[in-house]
Amino acid sequence: QKEVEQNSGPLSVPEGAIASLNCTYSDRGSQSFFWYRQYSGKSPELIMFIYSNGDKEDGRFTAQLNKASQYVSLLIRDSQPSDSATYLCAVKEGQGAQKLVFGQGTRLTINP
Amino acid sequence: DGGITQSPKYLFRKEGQNVTLSCEQNLNHDAMYWYRQDPGQGLRLIYYSQIVNDFQKGDIAEGYSVSREKKESFPLTVTSAQKNPTAFYLCASSTTANTEAFFGQGTRLTVV
């Protein structure tokens, strides 16, 4: 059983600080990695995806991937109260099939 | 307006009943998925389909059935064999070229 692991939190960060969310995965053959944000009672929405080792930046969000360590992270700069949500890490499993395996999510709270 | 539509938003099922959750997309996506989410948990894959008239079991397919007669539609039936069906059900779709999956707004199923 391929696994995706996240710290369930809650993670509490002051407004304006950097929030760092981490995810590890067990399938060394995984090629595609995704971060979703989910507000309470709502469906997940895609924030970032990353396929190559290194950093990928989009506005206040940066995804970091280290395939050798089987580790992917999401940094949120200048955290805002509206960033308070559960963040789900997902890993594409297998070749061709669009089967995504999700971690259990990290609940993030930004304190004003 | 392109998107994924799930209906109904809320559904109540009596013990021993089968119920069908609807999922329709007009994004011209080839792949569609059903996930289940329990409170405080991540998403678990029930079934997925990459093309019309073909689908594969996910990690928790027991007690569920699906069909994929049209590209746009991927209904999920929760049968009486599913002993603990109360959960938040999420439908998603993606292209086969790009791997990001986009979600519908979800159906919250409660057994009464």
Side-chain angles (χ1 to χ4, degrees):
Chain A
Q1 174 77 0
K2 299 182 177 66
E3 294 182 347
V4 178
E5 298 287 340
Q6 294 181 257
N7 186 327
S8 61
L11 176 64
S12 186
V13 172
E15 183 175 358
I18 295 175
S20 178
L21 304 161
N22 304 314
C23 174
T24 60
Y25 59 94
S26 62
D27 181 10
R28 190 169 285 278
S30 297
Q31 296 295 319
S32 306
F33 308 87
F34 308 86
W35 283 100
Y36 287 84
R37 177 176 62 199
Q38 186 177 28
Y39 293 114
S40 181
K42 303 296 185 182
S43 63
E45 55 181 323
L46 182 70
I47 299 176
M48 298 277 294
F49 60 88
I50 186 167
Y51 303 146
S52 303
N53 273 331
D55 294 0
K56 179 182 179 182
E57 187 175 318
D58 184 1
R60 295 188 296 114
F61 298 94
T62 299
Q64 299 176 317
L65 175 60
N66 184 326
K67 290 186 180 179
S69 300
Q70 295 175 240
Y71 177 94
V72 58
S73 65
L74 178 70
L75 301 178
I76 307 174
R77 290 182 299 281
D78 188 23
S79 297
Q80 303 296 311
S82 60
D83 294 326
S84 297
T86 296
Y87 289 80
L88 300 167
C89 173
V91 176
K92 180 193 164 191
E93 180 180 285
Q95 295 296 322
Q98 308 298 305
K99 183 178 177 182
L100 289 182
V101 178
F102 283 81
Q104 72 270 35
T106 298
R107 187 156 57 93
L108 174 66
T109 301
I110 307 301
N111 299 310
Chain B
D1 242 351
I4 305 169
T5 302
Q6 289 186 243
S7 62
K9 188 173 181 179
Y10 298 96
L11 185 58
F12 298 90
R13 190 193 96 166
K14 293 182 180 179
E15 294 279 355
Q17 270 187 340
N18 292 354
V19 290
T20 298
L21 283 60
S22 171
C23 179
E24 304 276 335
Q25 55 96 2
N26 60 6
L27 300 168
N28 199 33
H29 285 173
D30 290 305
M32 297 186 74
Y33 319 79
W34 276 104
Y35 289 90
R36 168 182 173 142
Q37 187 175 37
D38 293 284
Q41 303 295 314
L43 278 64
R44 292 185 290 168
L45 182 63
I46 304 173
Y47 270 97
Y48 66 107
S49 169
Q50 294 180 259
I51 57 173
V52 174
N53 293 323
D54 187 51
F55 48 83
Q56 288 78 40
K57 293 182 179 180
D59 301 318
I60 56 165
E62 185 175 352
Y64 300 98
S65 66
V66 294
S67 63
R68 186 86 187 277
E69 297 176 1
K70 299 187 299 182
K71 186 176 184 178
E72 300 80 17
S73 178
F74 191 41
L76 174 74
T77 297
V78 184
T79 74
S80 57
Q82 172 49 241
K83 297 307 178 188
N84 186 21
T86 295
F88 188 38
Y89 290 86
L90 289 157
C91 178
S93 71
S94 69
T95 67
T96 52
N98 299 317
T99 59
E100 308 96 280
F102 298 94
F103 286 84
Q105 75 273 31
T107 292
R108 200 166 296 278
L109 173 64
T110 303
V111 174
V112 296

